[in-house]
C-alpha cells in the first residue's frame, strides 16, 4: 500500500474512532479527531523525520466559546473530506497552537535541528499513542472503561499512522508502562542513551533522569524510539538547556547507527 493510501485509510479510521466515542461524556465536542499535529508536507521533505508522542489530545485543543480556533479549516468538515481534513491538521502550528504544552518538546527538537514550526531543517509532527480523540478529563483521569474503548482503536491506528509517516526518530514522553503497547518489532533491547544526574537548579538528583532508546522496525524501515520520562508535562523534569543537549545526543545516536 502506498504511503498516501495508508494515510487516507488511517484518516477514515480516526473518524470511526471519533464516532464510536460519541456515547462517552468525556469526549470533547464540537471537535474532530486529531490524527497528528503539524505540517505533513514539510515533515515529508525534512532531512530527518521526527515524531513526538503523547497519549491523546487535550480538551484545550477545542476551547470553549471558539472550539475551532486552532483548526479553523475544519469547522464545517465532514469525515469524507480527507484532503481538507489533512490541510486543517497541517496548518495547526501556523494558526493557534497550544504553545504552553508543545513548548515542552520544542527545546529537545531544536537540539536535533528540528521544530514544530517553519524555521528549521526538519519539521516535526506530534502524534498520540492511545487515541486521536480529545477528552475531558485528561487520559490519566478517565474512567477505565473510557480508556479501554478509546485505546482499542487508537493504539492500532497509531501504529498504522507511523507506517504511513515513516519516521526516523520517535520521541515518547509518557508513563513508562505505555512502552508495553509498542507492537513494532524491536531490533534490540532498550538501552540507556543518556542520564541527567542534576536537577534544573544544579543540585544532585536522588535518582538520575534516564533516557532510553530502542530501534524498532516500522513497516520495512528502522526507526530510533526514544523514551523520556514525563512528569506534569513532557520532559518536565529537565531544563530547556538539558533538553537541547539531549536532542543533540539523540541526533548523534541516530546518525551513528543509521
Amino acid at each position: 500500500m502506498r504511503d498516501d493510501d495508508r494515510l487516507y485509510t488511517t484518516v477514515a479510521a480516526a473518524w470511526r474512532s471519533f464516532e464510536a466515542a460519541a456515547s462517552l461524556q468525556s469526549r470533547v465536542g464540537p471537535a474532530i479527531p486529531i490524527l497528528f499535529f503539524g505540517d505533513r508536507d514539510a515533515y515529508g521533505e525534512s532531512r530527518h523525520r521526527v515524531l513526538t508522542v503523547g497519549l491523546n489530545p487535550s480538551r484545550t485543543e477545542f476551547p470553549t466559546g471558539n472550539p475551532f480556533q486552532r483548526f479553523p479549516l475544519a469547522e464545517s468538515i465532514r469525515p469524507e473530506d480527507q484532503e481538507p481534513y489533512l490541510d486543517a491538521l497541517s496548518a495547526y502550528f501556523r494558526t493557534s497552537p497550544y504553545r504552553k504544552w508543545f513548548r515542552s518538546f520544542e527545546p529537545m527538537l531544536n537540539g536535533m535541528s528540528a521544530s514544530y514550526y517553519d524555521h528549521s531543517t526538519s519539521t516535526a509532527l506530534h502524534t498520540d499513542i492511545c487515541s486521536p480523540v480529545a477528552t475531558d478529563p485528561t487520559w490519566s483521569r478517565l474512567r477505565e472503561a473510557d480508556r479501554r474503548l478509546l485505546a482499542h482503536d487508537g493504539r492500532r491506528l497509531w501504529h498504522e499512522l507511523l507506517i504511513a509517516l515513516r519516521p526516523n526518530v520517535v520521541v515518547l514522553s509518557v508513563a513508562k508502562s505505555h512502552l508495553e503497547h509498542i507492537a513494532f518489532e524491536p531490533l534490540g533491547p532498550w538501552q540507556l542513551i543518556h542520564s541527567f544526574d542534576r536537577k534544573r537548579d544544579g543540585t544532585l538528583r536522588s535518582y538520575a533522569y534516564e533516557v532510553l532508546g530502542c530501534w524498532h522496525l516500522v513497516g520495512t524501515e528502522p526507526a530510533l524510539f526514544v523514551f523520556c520520562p514525563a512528569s506534569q508535562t513532557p520532559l518536565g523534569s529537565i531544563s530547556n538547556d538539558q533538553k537541547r543537549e539531549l536532542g543533540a545526543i539523540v541526533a548523534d545516536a541516530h546518525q551513528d547507527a543509521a
Side-chain angles (χ1 to χ4, degrees):
M1 183 184 295
R2 294 187 311 118
D3 291 342
D4 282 350
D5 291 339
R6 189 180 296 275
L7 185 58
Y8 296 145
T9 298
T10 60
V11 169
W15 279 103
R16 288 196 297 272
S17 183
F18 181 74
E19 291 164 354
S23 63
L24 302 182
Q25 291 185 346
S26 58
R27 194 192 81 166
V28 172
I32 59 170
I34 308 176
L35 191 56
F36 60 83
F37 298 77
D39 191 329
R40 172 177 61 119
D41 291 337
Y43 165 86
E45 296 168 359
S46 293
R47 180 178 179 185
H48 297 110
R49 296 184 298 277
V50 182
L51 297 181
T52 58
V53 182
L55 298 180
N56 80 309
S58 163
R59 64 178 174 81
T60 311
E61 299 300 349
F62 301 96
T64 302
N66 187 8
F68 291 97
Q69 171 186 328
R70 306 193 194 283
F71 300 97
L73 298 177
E75 187 162 6
S76 58
I77 213 163
R78 301 168 299 174
E80 60 267 29
D81 298 329
Q82 292 193 327
E83 281 298 335
Y85 168 78
L86 291 170
D87 289 344
L89 302 187
S90 289
Y92 178 82
F93 288 105
R94 297 193 299 272
T95 308
S96 181
Y98 181 24
R99 292 180 185 271
K100 183 178 179 180
W101 195 87
F102 283 103
R103 71 186 181 196
S104 299
F105 275 117
E106 184 70 9
M108 181 180 177
L109 294 175
N110 294 166
M112 302 171 67
S113 298
S115 174
Y116 294 124
Y117 303 93
D118 296 333
H119 56 68
S120 187
T121 57
S122 295
T123 298
L125 300 183
H126 181 77
T127 65
D128 287 301
I129 191 172
C130 291
S131 176
V133 179
T135 59
D136 182 12
T138 57
W139 189 265
S140 64
R141 296 176 181 271
L142 285 176
R143 295 186 311 138
E144 179 60 29
D146 288 15
R147 289 200 298 265
R148 282 200 306 268
L149 187 148
L150 292 168
H152 179 267
D153 293 329
R155 290 192 182 115
R156 181 173 64 250
L157 177 60
W158 180 78
H159 284 77
E160 289 296 315
L161 174 63
L162 262 62
I163 294 172
L165 293 177
R166 300 170 50 239
N168 302 124
V169 179
V170 180
V171 180
L172 304 99
S173 191
V174 294
K176 194 172 185 180
S177 59
H178 290 284
L179 300 185
E180 299 172 5
H181 300 295
I182 298 174
F184 295 117
E185 178 187 351
L187 301 178
W190 285 94
Q191 296 183 320
L192 183 68
I193 289 182
H194 191 68
S195 65
F196 291 99
D197 298 327
R198 296 191 176 274
K199 300 178 183 179
R200 295 169 181 266
D201 61 5
T203 59
L204 197 64
R205 294 176 178 272
S206 299
Y207 298 94
Y209 182 92
E210 295 187 338
V211 178
L212 307 178
C214 180
W215 287 82
H216 286 76
L217 194 63
V218 178
T220 60
E221 300 181 28
L224 176 60
F225 283 56
V226 179
F227 169 69
C228 309
S231 54
Q232 294 297 104
T233 56
L235 297 98
S237 298
I238 59 176
S239 69
N240 286 345
D241 284 344
Q242 289 173 322
K243 292 176 187 179
R244 282 185 282 269
E245 178 185 353
L246 178 58
I249 290 167
V250 169
D252 287 344
H254 175 268
Q255 186 64 36
D256 290 344

